[in-house]
Amino acid sequence: MINFFIIKKSKLLTCFGFLGLMFLFSQNVSAQKTITGIVSDSNGPIPGANVSIKGTKTGVVTGFDGNYSITNVPANGILIFSFLGLTNKEVAVQGKDKINVVLEENLSNLQEVVVIGYGAQRKEAVTGSVASITGDDLREIPGANITQALQGRIAGVEMTQTSSKPGAAMQIRIRGTRSLNASNDPLVVLDGIPFAGSIGDINPTDIKSVDILKDASATAIYGSRGANGVILVTTNKGKKGQKARFTFDNYYGLKSVFARYPMMDGPEFVKLRTAAGIYTNGIDESNDVNTDWQDLFYGTGMVTSNDFGVSGGTENGSYNFGIGHYKDEAVIPGQDYERISLRASVDQEIGRSFRFGITTNNNYSITNGSNLSMYGVLNSSPIADPYNPDGSLKRIIQMPLDQQWVYTRESVENLGDKWINQTRAFGSYNNIYGEVKIPGVEGLKYRANIGLNFRMTDSGSYTGEGVFSATPTTPSTANIGHSLTTNWVIENLLTYDRTFSEKHKINVVGLYSAEQTSFNSSSVSARNIPSDAFQFYNLGNATGEITINPNDQNYYKSGLMSWMGRAMYSYDNRYMITATIRSDASSRLADGHKWNTYPAVSAGWNIKNESFLKEVGFLDALKLRVGYGETSNQSINPYATLGRLSTRPYNFGTEYAVGYYVSELPNPNLGWEYSSTWNYGLDFAILKNRLSATVEYYVTDTKDILLGVSLPSTSGVTSYTGNIGQSQNKGIEFSLNGTIVDNAGGWTWEAGVNFYSNKNKLVALASGQDRDESNWWFVGKPINVIYDYEKVGLWQQGDANLTKYEPGGNPGMIRVKYTGDFNADGSPTRQIGPEDRQVMKVDPDFQGGFNTRVAYKGFDLTAVGAFQSGGILISTLYSSSGYLNMLSGRRGNVDVDYWTPENTDAKYPKPGGIASGDNPKYGSTLGYFDASYLKIRTISLGYNFKSKFLEDTGLQKFRLYFTVQNPFVMFSPYHKESGMDPETNSYGDENAAVTTAYQKRLLTLGTNTPATRNFLIGFNLTF
């Protein structure tokens, strides 16, 4: 019995001992800890970082100083630290009570977040067509505005140069041209508010990112204002909890002429005049003189930029302030652009529910000498001597039939007060916003945006007596102009953003907005200013006529009211859908036609996240997108519905009166111009995201085009504005970006390329017409065309058909294409005539750009380029409208290979041959060139100083770089012949002797300020 008890007791103790050990073990396993620490990045503590326990929903957010404290952490648990734009980090607790971590920057994550309008979205969840570029990438091409930096960087976004003067902005077209008379310019949104100023008013240094909405499903949220695409510009902001950070960015550069205009020198001009046999030398001309007028006119230009900024934050807010100065001097005298910009932003939280802020961007700019061009320099005879025997400059030179004011750098700079052309502009663009989280409803918040915008421009010009004129007594003239634009916008936004069960993500936005724009402008001119010292500052003292032309005075007020709703839903990050409905009312349209409502819907499928592709290792992303949307355009002149009266002064006996007549009929049915777009997209990434690409195809149909319709003269009225016509745009876009070498032995190589092709055509015109020859519009053809003869060669000596096609013609004259019928013997049934004019496409077949960056340790080399293939470049320098290729010897002439009996394989006609006016017959055909080119836009070599140097100097960042802009051009037929930059520099009615030869909408290469090659050195400091 005792033995039994002893045995039982022993087993019982063993059992209790085992249970005790299990209990102690379980207690040790389930012990809960409180972990504290600081979360930082390279700039210091991070407020608002997330700290969570892996495998649970427990988490906290770091405070103002980056500190956190998280309770109930298992002793063997794992903490996850995360913050937007930084790489997540997992740390095992392993009995520790304090864990400090430093999160590293993750550029790929930064790029995944894009602005989509009234919010932001991860790129993998975007269903519309959205392209993005960072501010750092934009600044790889230093310039006065972002258009110069965007050229060739984004597929489907065409930036075309309209002027080569300092400070000029480019023409922007997103997926082509849709409208005929209404605007084709995209909407620019600055920090969430539609921008009312010039894109040149935005300092590129201030920009954090640019996001471009291209298809209707993406732009529908902005309604009619987004009919031509939307450019969302986000400026730099401060960060909560960040210590004050100071930045200083500077560059300085010298500018030289990229290529001189290809004019004949003295000996070449003597040969031309002899071959033409029309003119003998003028009083100031001599065959032994060889004057390089361009050399006497050009100088070295200069460009400089300085930007200083400070940013930081408090526990509940952030701030950013900055000031910038930019100046660009041309290579021709008296022409420059200068801008001073001031920016500020403040964002402040109040408690847990309220947030408010203000963003302001202000600038003041001065443009000088914009009325100067190269025409007077280029048409001067190279065998005319500009100097008197005593070495002083002559006032004029006399050629056979012309007298020309002597254009040299010295003569222009010596004018002093005798000449000024200046435009001063001030703009202030402000956004005040407030946001509140609705209590009791998680994810629901209300936001109000108030935009207050102001832009004022004052211009003045003065030309003294005889200045720029061959006649010394030409009266002095002066002009002043003033314009003022004020704009206000009020937006009310209600947003609901929630995630349910970790798979269902919902974002709903409701908007009501109203805006109003007021504009007025006036202009006054005067003659016979009594003193050069007055210039344009007191026209009332003019002794001659003071003119206030009613056609130069303007005023309008227009408004827009809108409702909008957008819902975005995604399931398990696999299936996404976005639906938008927008309703706009425009004051510019007729009663009963002011409102328009249109929908948009798009869907996406992240195929990579499906189970059947998750195990495919080389594939990192694969997404299909499809979208449909409708937009509208109301960008016509206000009051077009009301018609127009014009004035006509007349005398009746001894009385003077002004009469009014109807010049444009009213249209009480004027309504919206509609566009509908289908967009299809494919996004993919492979090899651990080292190679990513996007392919898109779209079709846009535009109906009820807003168009000025011409009326027959018998109606007594010239035109009215109506909803007439249809057009179609379709195209394909492709973008490819890759990391070819990823930090192999310190080497990194990144590259990107994009190309796109847009084809547009007119589908219908007014009243069933198939052509409008006066405007160069033809059904079935692109909107931008040339309507002219087509040069096919030169007529040669002994060609029996010459007199049949061109009665009275001569060998060596231009031969153009004949489209008529033929007789049985093969002879033409008629001579060449107007019916032989051709419709020729101007737009390129495809275009795009490329960029590459090679880095080794602290050094990096970057190159950015652009290209286009096909299309027609119009050079007024060579065509008859420029009066510089007359081939008669009357004035200076372009250096061309012309026909002579000994040089019959020439491209250009015989000097002094059959003419039309002052130019060779069909001389306009000489100005058409293949518009293809590949252009390196910038090459930059930089060095980022290493951390040891930064620590010793107290700097956070120091980068030094050297940049060459516009270094060279390849594969350009025009550049090969002329040596010039093949980019356009003028509208069709500018910088030519005859400004009516081409439609204004067509961009040409004329006698504007010459293109330059720039050499810059700069640095970026952060401390």
Side-chain angles (χ1 to χ4, degrees), residues 531-739:
S531 171
D532 291 330
F534 286 1
Q535 295 190 326
F536 58 79
Y537 295 106
N538 192 343
L539 300 192
N541 283 327
T543 59
E545 182 181 9
I546 299 176
T547 303
I548 304 177
N549 187 337
N551 293 325
D552 293 335
Q553 325 304 315
N554 199 0
Y555 168 82
Y556 72 78
K557 181 179 288 186
S558 67
L560 193 70
M561 183 180 294
S562 307
W563 298 88
M564 183 276 296
R566 180 183 67 190
M568 297 186 293
Y569 169 76
S570 69
Y571 172 72
D572 198 23
N573 202 24
R574 287 186 289 167
Y575 314 113
M576 296 82 65
I577 187 168
T578 301
T580 305
I581 188 165
R582 173 95 183 200
S583 188
D584 285 338
S586 171
S587 67
R588 301 182 183 221
L589 304 176
D591 291 337
H593 301 271
K594 294 183 182 296
W595 281 96
N596 180 43
T597 301
Y598 33 87
V601 62
S602 58
W605 180 21
N606 272 325
I607 309 174
K608 168 59 181 174
N609 293 338
E610 297 291 352
S611 58
F612 57 83
L613 281 181
K614 281 188 176 181
E615 302 304 320
V616 180
F618 72 89
L619 184 64
D620 302 296
L622 180 62
K623 181 172 70 174
L624 282 174
R625 293 178 286 110
V626 62
Y628 171 81
E630 297 178 5
T631 56
S632 300
N633 196 345
Q634 45 88 40
S635 297
I636 57 170
N637 292 330
Y639 317 123
T641 61
L642 305 180
R644 185 181 296 273
L645 294 176
S646 295
T647 59
R648 178 73 71 186
Y650 64 93
N651 290 331
F652 185 76
T654 59
E655 299 294 326
Y656 174 81
V658 175
Y660 297 87
Y661 66 95
V662 178
S663 57
E664 185 174 324
L665 285 177
N667 184 356
N669 297 312
L670 188 65
W672 294 85
E673 178 179 293
Y674 300 96
S675 292
S676 60
T677 299
W678 280 98
N679 188 83
Y680 309 90
L682 173 67
D683 309 312
F684 67 86
I686 59 175
L687 304 176
K688 296 183 179 180
N689 290 306
R690 289 180 63 174
L691 189 66
S692 60
T694 295
V695 182
E696 295 194 86
Y697 174 76
Y698 62 89
V699 179
T700 299
D701 290 296
T702 302
K703 301 178 180 179
D704 293 341
I705 287 177
L706 292 163
L707 177 63
V709 181
S710 299
L711 295 173
S713 57
T714 53
S715 67
V717 183
T718 57
S719 67
Y720 74 96
T721 302
N723 294 107
I724 306 294
Q726 300 179 34
S727 68
Q728 183 185 77
N729 274 265
K730 59 183 178 180
I732 187 169
E733 301 166 358
F734 176 73
S735 299
L736 178 66
N737 293 282
T739 301

Side-chain angles (χ1 to χ4, degrees), residues 44-200:
I46 306 173
N50 296 306
V51 183
S52 61
I53 304 171
K54 188 173 183 178
T56 74
K57 296 183 179 180
T58 303
V60 296
V61 176
T62 59
F64 165 71
D65 51 3
N67 282 295
Y68 72 93
S69 177
I70 185 168
T71 59
N72 300 322
V73 182
N76 63 341
I78 296 175
L79 294 182
I80 301 175
F81 300 86
S82 63
F83 190 76
L84 181 66
L86 302 176
T87 302
N88 293 355
K89 179 173 284 190
E90 295 185 4
V91 179
V93 175
Q94 295 178 341
K96 294 185 291 251
D97 296 320
K98 187 170 185 178
I99 299 175
N100 297 330
V101 298
V102 177
L103 301 182
E104 297 179 353
E105 188 176 28
N106 187 331
L107 293 178
S108 61
N109 284 347
L110 282 173
Q111 293 169 353
E112 286 178 357
V113 179
V114 298
V115 179
I116 56 172
Y118 303 113
Q121 196 174 22
R122 289 178 304 111
K123 187 174 181 180
E124 63 179 351
V126 172
T127 55
S129 181
V130 183
S132 303
I133 186 170
T134 67
D136 289 338
D137 289 338
L138 286 174
R139 285 183 284 277
E140 289 177 352
I141 302 181
N145 56 71
I146 61 173
T147 58
Q148 297 163 346
L150 282 173
Q151 187 184 30
R153 300 302 295 267
I154 297 178
V157 181
E158 181 183 14
M159 302 285 176
T160 311
Q161 188 172 264
T162 62
S163 175
S164 46
K165 292 182 173 68
M170 293 186 172
Q171 175 182 274
I172 308 173
R173 292 291 180 265
I174 298 178
R175 292 186 166 180
T177 300
R178 301 166 182 79
S179 188
L180 301 183
N181 275 16
S183 172
N184 285 287
D185 296 331
L187 170 71
V188 177
V189 177
L190 179 65
D191 290 325
I193 291 293
F195 186 56
S198 164
I199 202 164

Side-chain angles (χ1 to χ4, degrees), residues 18 84 121 235 282 349 353 480 508 784 787 802 903 927 995 1016:
F18 178 77
L84 181 66
Q121 196 174 22
T235 58
E349 294 180 358
S353 300
I480 57 173
V508 181
N784 292 329
Y787 184 51
L802 171 59
N903 184 33
T995 57
L1016 312 176

Side-chain angles (χ1 to χ4, degrees), residues 285-343:
E285 292 181 311
S286 174
N287 287 355
D288 59 357
V289 171
N290 187 7
T291 301
D292 188 335
W293 290 99
Q294 294 183 77
D295 186 60
L296 295 175
F297 199 61
Y298 297 146
T300 300
M302 179 271 293
V303 59
T304 182
S305 176
N306 295 278
D307 286 276
F308 179 80
V310 57
S311 63
T314 62
E315 182 176 0
N316 296 310
S318 63
Y319 60 86
N320 182 286
F321 300 96
I323 186 169
H325 174 259
Y326 176 85
K327 187 170 185 180
D328 187 356
E329 295 180 356
V331 293
I332 66 177
Q335 192 174 92
D336 60 66
Y337 171 81
E338 186 172 13
R339 180 187 63 219
I340 299 173
S341 57
L342 179 68
R343 67 183 184 277

